[in-house]
Amino acid sequence: MWNERYSNSEFVYGTEANEFLKEQFRQIPAGGRVLCLAEGEGRNAVFLAEQGYQVTAIDLSDIGLNKALKLAAEKGVDIQTQVADLADYEFGNEQWDGIVSIWAHTPEATRQRVHTQVASALKPNGAFILEAYTYEQTTMDSVGGPPASQQQMLMSLSQLRTELVALTETVGVEQHRMISEGTGHHGLSAVVQFVGKKK
Ligand SMILES: C[S@@+](CC[C@H](N)C(=O)[O-])C[C@H]1O[C@@H](n2cnc3c(N)ncnc32)[C@H](O)[C@@H]1O
C-alpha cells in the first residue's frame, strides 16, 4: 500500500519537515546520531541532516526511501536509509542520540514493542520525539491518519506515558492543531505530541 502511495513524483507529505519536529529537534544533542522511524519520503530525515545530525531513516517502503535519498541529494546532505519493519526491527543498546517518530502508525502490538525499546536504544541524554494522531482524529473533517476501521493504529497520551515511562517527559500534549503537509495531511487535526529524554 505505501509503495503504491509513494509511486509518483509528488511528495505525499511535502518536502518541509513536520512543524513539531522543527520546534523540538534541539532536545536531541547537537551533531548526534538520529533514527527516524517510519520515515517515508524523508522530509524529516533531510531536515535533521541539514541541522548537522547523522541520520538513519527506516521504513517499510523502498520507494519512499529512494525518494528520501533523492531529496537528500537535492539538498546536498547525506542520510542513511534502511528498509525495515518496525514489527521486528532491533534498536540496539545506547545507539542513538535521538529517535523520531512522526505519524508512525502501526498496529498496537508493534507500537508497544517499539516504545518499550526506545529507552534502552537511546544514549544518556538522548531524546525521543513523537507526533501522532489520537483516536479523536476519526471524528475530524481533516485529511490524515488511519481510518476508523484501523482505530488500534491511533494512540493517546496516557498510552504513551505508560509505554515510555522509562523516559523523563519534557513535552506531553493532546491538542487540535492545523496541519498542512502536502496532499496527505491537512486541516484541523487531533494529535498527541510527546518528547521524552533518557535519564
Ligand atoms: C503517514 S506516513 C509518515 C511518513 C513520515 N514519517 C513523514 O512524516 O513524512 C507513515 C509511514 O509509516 C510507514 N510504516 C507503516 N508501517 C510500518 C512498519 N511496520 N515498519 C516500518 N514503517 C512502517 C509507511 O511506509 C509510511 O511511510
Side-chain angles (χ1 to χ4, degrees):
M1 160 197 161
W2 286 101
N3 264 347
E4 198 179 318
R5 191 169 294 180
Y6 292 148
S7 63
N8 65 33
S9 59
E10 175 211 9
F11 279 71
V12 178
Y13 306 107
T15 54
E16 281 290 308
N18 169 268
E19 282 298 322
F20 180 64
L21 178 62
K22 287 204 270 187
E23 285 166 25
Q24 298 296 333
F25 77 90
R26 289 182 190 82
Q27 297 213 41
I28 302 172
R33 297 186 70 224
V34 181
L35 178 66
C36 291
L37 308 179
E39 179 47 19
E41 299 164 307
R43 64 198 175 107
N44 302 308
V46 168
F47 167 78
L48 290 168
E50 289 177 313
Q51 311 310 311
Y53 293 98
Q54 304 161 59
V55 185
T56 299
I58 65 170
D59 199 280
L60 276 181
S61 168
D62 58 330
I63 292 180
L65 292 177
N66 284 339
K67 287 168 85 174
L69 289 171
K70 189 163 162 266
L71 183 63
E74 280 170 12
K75 302 274 187 179
V77 293
D78 284 326
I79 61 168
Q80 304 298 312
T81 60
Q82 186 181 346
V83 176
D85 187 340
L86 290 170
D88 57 19
Y89 183 75
E90 290 302 331
F91 286 76
N93 200 37
E94 298 199 350
Q95 293 292 310
W96 305 101
D97 298 285
I99 299 178
V100 170
S101 176
I102 304 295
W103 318 124
H105 292 277
T106 65
E108 189 171 30
T110 299
R111 185 191 77 229
Q112 289 171 345
R113 179 189 178 277
V114 168
H115 288 170
T116 51
Q117 291 189 71
V118 162
S120 54
L122 285 172
K123 297 182 196 173
N125 202 35
F128 177 64
I129 300 177
L130 174 146
E131 183 165 42
Y133 292 106
T134 63
Y135 297 97
E136 197 191 354
Q137 177 64 7
T138 58
T139 68
M140 307 291 280
D141 288 334
S142 53
V143 172
S149 60
Q150 293 176 359
Q151 278 263 352
Q152 60 139 347
M153 295 178 119
L154 296 161
M155 64 197 83
S156 68
L157 182 56
S158 66
Q159 286 173 319
L160 292 174
R161 283 179 170 153
T162 301
E163 292 162 10
L164 295 159
V165 67
L167 299 179
T168 301
E169 179 180 320
T170 60
V171 179
V173 186
E174 279 186 4
Q175 65 173 335
H176 292 173
R177 79 167 181 96
M178 283 300 295
I179 295 184
S180 176
E181 298 182 333
T183 56
H185 291 157
H186 51 87
L188 188 65
S189 304
V191 305
V192 55
Q193 299 173 328
F194 183 91
V195 181
K197 295 277 285 188
K198 174 129 170 191
K199 288 166 189 150

